[in-house]
């Protein structure tokens, strides 16, 4: 089993920055993919950033490229999302998720599809005011 706990959400003004953390416990290793997703009121949950823990390969949604950075601290079993130049449209509940990754080469593309993720945290709220 894997447990994920997000933290770091807050209320900030547009243009500000936040760093979200996701503490992972249980069976997380280099053969996992992890991702950050968000859900705004009245909207479907969407993927924001994804990483393959083995190589650190990342993928980002177009809406956050150049502003958000996903990273990992293996020693602390923690996933991060650094969010800069925040916009009001970034307001949402942010979730971290994890799933086992497998690929022939061993250097996998990060999984982006929400339906493939197995383990989820409860979320942390980010509110950006204009």
């Amino acid at each position: 089993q894997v447990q994920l706990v997000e933290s770091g959400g807050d209320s900030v003004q547009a243009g500000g920055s936040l760093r979200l953390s996701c503490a992972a416990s249980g069976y997380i290793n280099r053969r996992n993919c992890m991702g950050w997703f968000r859900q705004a009121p009245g909207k479907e949950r969407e993927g924001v950033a994804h990483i393959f823990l083995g190589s650190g390969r990342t993928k980002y949604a177009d809406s956050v490229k150049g502003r958000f950075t996903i990273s990992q601290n293996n020693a602390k079993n923690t996933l991060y999302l650094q969010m800069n130049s925040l916009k009001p449209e970034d307001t949402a509940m942010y979730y971290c998720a994890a799933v086992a990754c497998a690929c022939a080469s061993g250097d996998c593309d990060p999984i982006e599809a929400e339906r493939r993720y197995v383990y989820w945290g409860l979320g942390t709220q980010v509110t950006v005011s204009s």
Side-chain angles (χ1 to χ4, degrees):
Q1 283 291 338
V2 172
Q3 293 81 40
L4 304 172
V5 180
E6 304 94 335
S7 62
D10 205 345
S11 297
V12 297
Q13 290 193 326
S17 297
L18 281 176
R19 188 177 80 158
L20 305 184
S21 299
C22 173
S25 58
Y27 197 66
I28 285 282
N29 58 35
R30 292 171 57 83
R31 291 187 294 275
N32 280 98
C33 285
M34 295 190 73
W36 286 98
F37 295 79
R38 67 185 180 186
Q39 186 168 22
K43 294 188 177 181
E44 292 188 353
R45 190 157 54 186
E46 62 175 354
V48 174
H50 307 85
I51 187 169
F52 172 56
L53 298 185
S55 65
R57 187 183 294 195
T58 59
K59 283 191 176 180
Y60 295 92
D62 287 344
S63 59
V64 306
K65 279 181 184 175
R67 300 189 299 122
F68 290 12
T69 303
I70 187 172
S71 63
Q72 59 181 315
N73 183 322
N74 293 329
K76 295 183 178 180
N77 261 12
T78 303
L79 184 74
Y80 301 104
L81 185 68
Q82 178 66 44
M83 306 187 295
N84 299 327
S85 302
L86 283 162
K87 305 175 182 180
E89 51 263 44
D90 295 318
T91 295
M93 184 70 80
Y94 283 72
Y95 301 89
C96 104
V99 65
C101 271
C103 58
S105 70
D107 184 11
C108 306
D109 278 333
I111 292 174
E112 296 178 271
E114 177 186 348
R115 66 183 185 281
R116 295 187 58 186
Y117 278 82
V118 175
Y119 303 103
W120 292 84
L122 295 180
T124 186
Q125 178 68 39
V126 171
T127 302
V128 184
S129 58
S130 57

XYZ file of all heavy atoms in Angstrom, residues 53-112:
447
model
N 10.021 8.381 -11.611
C 10.979 8.502 -10.520
C 12.337 7.893 -10.866
O 13.358 8.303 -10.337
C 10.424 7.857 -9.249
C 9.142 8.477 -8.685
C 8.777 7.814 -7.365
C 9.282 9.972 -8.512
N 12.365 6.929 -11.765
C 13.622 6.272 -12.082
C 14.633 7.196 -12.736
O 15.808 7.206 -12.363
N 14.183 7.974 -13.723
C 15.100 8.836 -14.466
C 14.869 10.315 -14.212
O 15.694 11.137 -14.591
C 14.958 8.577 -15.967
O 13.663 8.959 -16.410
N 13.723 10.640 -13.608
C 13.396 12.048 -13.421
C 12.769 12.684 -14.647
O 12.579 13.899 -14.685
N 12.451 11.872 -15.657
C 11.802 12.418 -16.859
C 10.451 13.005 -16.473
O 9.696 12.418 -15.714
C 11.640 11.308 -17.893
C 11.144 11.809 -19.228
C 10.929 10.681 -20.199
N 12.176 10.015 -20.567
C 12.274 9.188 -21.608
N 11.201 8.947 -22.334
N 13.411 8.617 -21.894
N 10.147 14.179 -17.039
C 8.932 14.904 -16.667
C 8.076 15.259 -17.877
O 8.563 15.305 -19.015
C 9.283 16.203 -15.926
O 10.094 17.016 -16.791
C 10.041 15.933 -14.639
N 6.811 15.527 -17.601
C 5.888 16.060 -18.600
C 4.977 17.057 -17.907
O 4.631 16.879 -16.737
C 5.055 14.939 -19.241
C 5.795 14.131 -20.279
C 4.850 13.239 -21.056
C 5.592 12.510 -22.168
N 4.704 11.627 -22.950
N 4.582 18.094 -18.664
C 3.755 19.156 -18.106
C 2.569 19.447 -19.013
O 2.656 19.329 -20.245
C 4.574 20.442 -17.952
C 5.700 20.337 -16.966
C 6.982 19.960 -17.364
C 5.485 20.610 -15.617
C 8.004 19.848 -16.451
C 6.513 20.515 -14.695
C 7.776 20.129 -15.123
O 8.801 20.029 -14.209
N 1.483 19.883 -18.393
C 0.367 20.410 -19.168
C 0.803 21.727 -19.805
O 1.604 22.475 -19.229
C -0.836 20.640 -18.253
N 0.274 22.023 -20.979
C 0.653 23.247 -21.679
C 0.374 24.482 -20.837
O 1.111 25.470 -20.896
C -0.110 23.348 -23.004
C 0.403 22.362 -24.044
O 1.523 21.828 -23.869
O -0.327 22.107 -25.015
N -0.672 24.431 -20.034
C -1.082 25.607 -19.257
C -0.090 25.974 -18.158
O -0.148 27.090 -17.632
C -2.460 25.359 -18.639
O -2.430 24.210 -17.805
N 0.810 25.058 -17.800
C 1.740 25.339 -16.699
C 3.205 25.292 -17.125
O 4.092 25.579 -16.311
C 1.528 24.372 -15.514
C 0.065 24.391 -15.065
C 1.981 22.962 -15.848
N 3.461 24.949 -18.383
C 4.855 24.867 -18.852
C 5.561 26.191 -18.654
O 5.035 27.250 -18.971
C 4.890 24.480 -20.336
C 4.732 23.001 -20.592
C 4.795 22.694 -22.081
C 4.548 21.214 -22.333
N 4.488 20.904 -23.776
N 6.776 26.112 -18.121
C 7.554 27.313 -17.885
C 7.260 27.997 -16.564
O 7.990 28.901 -16.145
N 6.183 27.582 -15.894
C 5.811 28.185 -14.602
C 5.912 27.185 -13.458
O 6.263 27.559 -12.338
C 4.388 28.730 -14.658
C 4.178 29.796 -15.708
C 2.797 30.460 -15.565
N 1.696 29.512 -15.730
C 0.762 29.286 -14.810
N 0.786 29.937 -13.663
N -0.219 28.412 -15.050
N 5.572 25.922 -13.709
C 5.571 24.897 -12.665
C 6.728 23.928 -12.897
O 7.087 23.638 -14.042
C 4.266 24.112 -12.690
C 3.044 24.843 -12.242
C 3.041 26.226 -12.061
C 1.865 24.159 -11.995
C 1.914 26.898 -11.645
C 0.721 24.816 -11.580
C 0.745 26.191 -11.409
N 7.271 23.411 -11.800
C 8.330 22.411 -11.884
C 8.037 21.281 -10.906
O 7.852 21.531 -9.712
C 9.705 23.017 -11.543
O 9.974 24.118 -12.433
C 10.800 21.978 -11.700
N 8.016 20.059 -11.416
C 7.844 18.881 -10.570
C 9.218 18.304 -10.270
O 10.095 18.259 -11.144
C 6.931 17.836 -11.252
C 6.599 16.683 -10.301
C 7.538 17.326 -12.553
C 5.538 15.720 -10.851
N 9.429 17.903 -9.021
C 10.720 17.340 -8.650
C 10.532 16.340 -7.516
O 9.462 16.252 -6.924
C 11.697 18.442 -8.231
O 11.224 19.112 -7.081
N 11.599 15.608 -7.239
C 11.517 14.572 -6.209
C 12.717 14.656 -5.285
O 13.798 15.071 -5.687
C 11.488 13.194 -6.872
C 12.716 12.921 -7.749
C 12.678 11.569 -8.411
O 12.369 10.565 -7.792
N 12.997 11.536 -9.708
N 12.525 14.270 -4.047
C 13.608 14.090 -3.096
C 13.520 12.639 -2.644
O 12.694 12.294 -1.804
C 13.477 15.050 -1.915
C 14.643 14.932 -0.952
O 15.156 13.837 -0.695
N 15.080 16.059 -0.426
N 14.360 11.801 -3.236
C 14.267 10.365 -2.951
C 14.563 10.049 -1.496
O 13.971 9.165 -0.904
C 15.205 9.585 -3.864
C 14.767 9.650 -5.315
O 13.576 9.740 -5.603
N 15.713 9.622 -6.238
N 15.508 10.787 -0.914
C 15.883 10.508 0.474
C 14.716 10.754 1.414
O 14.588 10.094 2.448
C 17.077 11.360 0.871
N 13.868 11.722 1.048
C 12.741 12.065 1.917
C 11.432 11.454 1.434
O 10.385 11.676 2.039
C 12.582 13.581 1.986
C 13.751 14.282 2.647
C 13.488 15.791 2.752
C 14.638 16.492 3.452
N 14.393 17.950 3.568
N 11.489 10.694 0.334
C 10.260 10.130 -0.245
C 9.207 11.207 -0.442
O 8.032 11.032 -0.075
C 9.697 9.027 0.653
C 10.079 7.648 0.148
O 10.923 7.507 -0.720
N 9.451 6.633 0.693
N 9.633 12.325 -1.008
C 8.745 13.466 -1.159
C 8.753 13.971 -2.588
O 9.814 14.055 -3.221
C 9.136 14.604 -0.203
O 9.114 14.111 1.141
C 8.175 15.771 -0.321
N 7.565 14.285 -3.082
C 7.381 14.886 -4.400
C 7.027 16.352 -4.202
O 6.307 16.695 -3.256
C 6.248 14.167 -5.137
C 5.962 14.581 -6.568
C 7.044 14.050 -7.500
C 4.593 14.083 -7.010
N 7.539 17.201 -5.092
C 7.283 18.629 -4.973
C 6.647 19.163 -6.259
O 6.821 18.609 -7.346
C 8.576 19.397 -4.718
C 9.296 18.982 -3.468
C 10.431 18.181 -3.532
C 8.848 19.395 -2.218
C 11.094 17.789 -2.384
C 9.512 19.010 -1.056
C 10.627 18.209 -1.150
O 11.287 17.819 -0.009
N 5.940 20.270 -6.104
C 5.484 21.041 -7.254
C 5.762 22.508 -6.938
O 5.092 23.101 -6.095
C 3.999 20.823 -7.526
C 3.481 21.522 -8.791
C 4.084 20.883 -10.042
C 1.951 21.476 -8.872
N 6.786 23.046 -7.585
C 7.094 24.463 -7.450
C 6.242 25.219 -8.445
O 6.314 24.956 -9.656
C 8.581 24.722 -7.717
C 8.976 26.185 -7.640
C 8.846 26.758 -6.241
O 9.236 26.126 -5.268
N 8.299 27.958 -6.139
N 5.455 26.150 -7.956
C 4.530 26.903 -8.807
C 4.896 28.379 -8.747
O 4.835 28.990 -7.679
C 3.086 26.686 -8.336
C 2.693 25.215 -8.242
S 0.947 24.986 -7.896
C 0.844 25.695 -6.262
N 5.306 28.925 -9.872
C 5.668 30.336 -9.972
C 4.693 31.063 -10.904
O 3.972 30.428 -11.675
C 7.090 30.483 -10.509
C 8.120 29.839 -9.611
O 7.983 29.808 -8.386
N 9.189 29.328 -10.216
N 4.719 32.380 -10.823
C 3.863 33.208 -11.686
C 2.423 32.705 -11.665
O 1.790 32.517 -12.714
C 4.404 33.201 -13.121
O 5.725 33.663 -13.162
N 1.909 32.501 -10.476
C 0.571 31.938 -10.343
C -0.493 32.881 -10.895
O -0.368 34.116 -10.808
C 0.290 31.610 -8.882
C 0.960 30.317 -8.384
C 1.024 30.286 -6.871
C 0.212 29.108 -8.920
N -1.525 32.268 -11.467
C -2.635 32.998 -12.062
C -3.934 32.606 -11.361
O -4.027 31.504 -10.811
C -2.752 32.656 -13.544
C -1.489 32.881 -14.350
C -1.664 32.398 -15.785
C -0.397 32.581 -16.589
N -0.556 32.119 -17.997
N -4.948 33.446 -11.405
C -6.232 33.068 -10.791
C -6.771 31.742 -11.332
O -7.398 30.984 -10.578
C -7.144 34.233 -11.177
C -6.217 35.400 -11.260
C -4.944 34.846 -11.849
N -6.500 31.438 -12.572
C -6.982 30.184 -13.146
C -6.241 28.960 -12.626
O -6.619 27.827 -12.928
C -6.925 30.213 -14.684
C -5.598 30.628 -15.260
C -5.568 32.108 -15.629
O -6.057 32.939 -14.831
O -5.025 32.431 -16.710
N -5.209 29.162 -11.828
C -4.533 28.040 -11.169
C -5.252 27.626 -9.887
O -4.878 26.634 -9.256
C -3.082 28.395 -10.838
C -2.234 28.611 -12.067
O -2.366 27.838 -13.039
O -1.419 29.571 -12.065
N -6.247 28.396 -9.480
C -7.013 28.073 -8.274
C -7.679 26.724 -8.416
O -8.414 26.473 -9.375
C -8.072 29.155 -8.016
O -7.415 30.389 -7.731
C -8.973 28.761 -6.852
N -7.405 25.836 -7.467
C -7.936 24.468 -7.527
C -7.492 23.702 -6.292
O -6.609 24.149 -5.547
C -7.436 23.751 -8.774
N -8.097 22.525 -6.122
C -7.572 21.555 -5.179
C -6.512 20.749 -5.926
O -6.786 20.259 -7.027
C -8.680 20.623 -4.688
C -8.233 19.630 -3.621
S -7.887 20.425 -2.055
C -9.553 20.601 -1.425
N -5.335 20.638 -5.353
C -4.229 19.927 -5.985
C -4.022 18.582 -5.302
O -3.946 18.497 -4.072
C -2.960 20.761 -5.918
C -2.935 21.883 -6.938
C -3.761 22.998 -6.789
C -2.113 21.821 -8.060
C -3.766 24.010 -7.740
C -2.103 22.835 -9.004
C -2.938 23.923 -8.834
O -2.942 24.936 -9.776
N -3.916 17.545 -6.130
C -3.745 16.178 -5.648
C -2.454 15.587 -6.178
O -2.077 15.834 -7.327
C -4.894 15.294 -6.136
C -6.263 15.735 -5.712
C -6.995 16.632 -6.478
C -6.833 15.243 -4.542
C -8.263 17.038 -6.098
C -8.108 15.640 -4.159
C -8.805 16.535 -4.943
O -10.064 16.926 -4.550
N -1.814 14.754 -5.356
C -0.712 13.989 -5.890
C -1.155 12.532 -6.016
O -2.058 12.086 -5.300
C 0.545 14.189 -5.056
S 1.032 12.920 -3.970
N -0.555 11.833 -6.943
C -0.948 10.465 -7.248
C 0.271 9.648 -7.642
O 1.289 10.207 -8.071
C -1.976 10.448 -8.376
N 0.141 8.329 -7.508
C 1.262 7.447 -7.823
C 0.764 6.162 -8.463
O -0.364 5.716 -8.209
C 2.059 7.126 -6.555
N 1.628 5.575 -9.279
C 1.305 4.298 -9.916
C 2.617 3.637 -10.313
O 3.621 4.316 -10.555
C 0.410 4.511 -11.149
C 1.128 5.290 -12.243
C -0.103 3.174 -11.689
N 2.606 2.328 -10.368
C 3.788 1.613 -10.830
C 3.954 1.830 -12.327
O 2.985 1.785 -13.078
C 3.654 0.131 -10.522
N 5.181 2.087 -12.756
C 5.496 2.272 -14.165
C 6.307 1.080 -14.643
O 7.153 0.598 -13.915
C 6.370 3.513 -14.363
S 5.474 5.021 -14.599
N 6.074 0.672 -15.866
C 6.870 -0.405 -16.442
C 7.030 -0.151 -17.925
O 6.086 0.251 -18.602
C 6.206 -1.752 -16.207
N 8.243 -0.311 -18.430
C 8.466 -0.166 -19.858
C 9.699 -0.974 -20.228
O 10.556 -1.235 -19.383
C 8.625 1.298 -20.253
S 9.971 2.147 -19.412
N 9.793 -1.349 -21.495
C 10.855 -2.247 -21.937
C 12.231 -1.630 -21.740
O 13.188 -2.305 -21.362
C 10.636 -2.612 -23.402
N 12.350 -0.323 -21.981
C 13.664 0.308 -21.915
C 14.111 0.560 -20.499
O 15.300 0.737 -20.231
C 13.624 1.641 -22.671
O 12.854 2.584 -21.965
N 13.174 0.609 -19.580
C 13.508 0.934 -18.200
C 13.521 2.422 -17.928
O 13.601 2.845 -16.778
N 13.472 3.248 -18.988
C 13.395 4.695 -18.834
C 12.059 5.122 -19.400
O 11.926 5.427 -20.590
C 14.549 5.374 -19.576
C 14.550 6.885 -19.356
O 13.799 7.359 -18.471
O 15.290 7.582 -20.072
N 11.055 5.125 -18.526
C 9.673 5.244 -18.989
C 9.242 6.695 -19.197
O 9.726 7.591 -18.499
C 8.733 4.613 -17.967
S 9.140 2.902 -17.551
N 8.341 6.877 -20.136
C 7.638 8.153 -20.227
C 6.701 8.261 -19.030
O 6.039 7.287 -18.671
C 6.806 8.230 -21.500
C 7.638 8.620 -22.699
O 8.669 9.303 -22.506
O 7.264 8.255 -23.820
N 6.644 9.428 -18.405
C 5.728 9.569 -17.271
C 4.286 9.333 -17.703
O 3.885 9.780 -18.781
C 5.927 11.026 -16.830
C 7.254 11.429 -17.379
C 7.418 10.658 -18.651
N 3.540 8.632 -16.877
C 2.137 8.384 -17.182
C 1.337 9.662 -16.926
O 1.473 10.287 -15.879
C 1.602 7.230 -16.320
C 2.277 5.921 -16.751
C 0.093 7.114 -16.427
C 1.945 4.742 -15.880
N 0.531 10.048 -17.896
C -0.271 11.253 -17.770
C -1.756 10.969 -17.515
O -2.432 11.788 -16.912
C -0.153 12.090 -19.049
C 1.250 12.608 -19.317
C 1.330 13.395 -20.608
O 1.586 12.791 -21.678
O 1.152 14.625 -20.551
